[in-house]
Amino acid sequence: MTKLGMAISLDRCIGCQTCANACKMQNSVPMGMQWNRVVTEGCDVMDDAHGTYPDLSRTYLPIACQHCENPACLKVCPTGATYKDDKGRVEIDYDNCIGCRMCMAACPYNARSFNWEDPVRDPDFKYGDKDVPVRTKGMVEKCTLCKERTDRDQEPMCVKCCPTKARVFGDLDDPKSAVSQLIREKRAGVLLEEKGTKPQVHYFD
């Protein structure tokens, strides 16, 4: 089988937000919403720092949907709108989403967003990949691992655009894939392992 996933180097991440902006453009993500975000660990605002000058430090953590092998969001969805596809991605069938937001409550990674109002895009038209579905008011949305690109055997846009090559994407079920080898070599870990969701996004120093 295929199980698509990713490994992210925290040492290489420079907090430039290129991945977040590339994701937004590729997937026509509306204003005020991010599927892919880079947080400054331990800080309330973006690009803040720890400590007192001149002894300061800053650590970035890229976060999006973890495309879990055992997704908490899927278990609570009452309509089956959230599902695992044949490539191991956690996806949303927007036609079946009723906007109950149970998935948002269940996700330990805060990876989902809700359209409380009609989405606003600037410029005022659908940008990005022509095959990406348009989401409307009352729908939940999130990272899809760039389903439209990865269905065409292309990398997710966040991987393609990362200037420091901090992200490696591929098939976790293929032990010879670059991402599988990297996870083994670096002993990459996952976020909130204790939750038992078995994320398919791994992190290493």
Side-chain angles (χ1 to χ4, degrees), residues 107-199:
C107 175
Y109 308 101
N110 193 28
R112 293 178 172 231
S113 301
F114 184 67
N115 286 294
W116 292 97
E117 304 292 341
D118 290 324
V120 175
R121 292 176 173 84
D122 186 11
D124 189 21
F125 56 81
K126 179 183 177 290
Y127 38 81
D129 195 305
K130 66 179 178 60
D131 295 324
V132 173
V134 175
R135 291 83 59 196
T136 59
K137 180 180 177 180
M139 286 184 178
V140 173
E141 56 183 85
K142 67 169 193 68
C143 160
T144 65
L145 268 185
C146 283
K147 182 181 187 304
E148 293 72 27
R149 288 182 58 83
T150 50
D151 277 349
R152 300 190 292 258
D153 294 324
Q154 298 173 313
E155 294 177 324
M157 193 58 81
C158 63
V159 177
K160 179 178 175 60
C161 292
C162 178
T164 62
K165 305 301 180 189
R167 295 166 178 253
V168 177
F169 172 78
D171 184 1
L172 301 179
D173 273 354
D174 178 2
K176 296 182 180 179
S177 70
V179 67
S180 292
Q181 293 182 47
L182 188 60
I183 289 169
R184 287 196 305 271
E185 290 169 6
K186 297 292 187 178
R187 298 182 180 178
V190 296
L191 297 180
L192 302 179
E193 185 175 7
E194 69 277 9
K195 297 294 184 181
T197 55
K198 299 181 179 178

Side-chain angles (χ1 to χ4, degrees), residues 6-8 10 61 66 182-184 186-193 199-205:
M6 191 181 301
I8 302 175
L10 298 179
L61 179 64
Q66 302 292 294
L182 188 60
I183 289 169
R184 287 196 305 271
K186 297 292 187 178
R187 298 182 180 178
V190 296
L191 297 180
L192 302 179
E193 185 175 7
Q200 289 165 209
V201 177
H202 297 251
Y203 295 84
F204 63 96
D205 292 330

Side-chain angles (χ1 to χ4, degrees), residues 71 74 80-86 89-93 112 147:
L74 186 151
T82 295
Y83 66 98
K84 288 275 285 183
D85 71 8
D86 60 355
R89 300 167 298 199
V90 176
E91 303 292 355
I92 301 173
D93 181 342
R112 293 178 172 231
K147 182 181 187 304

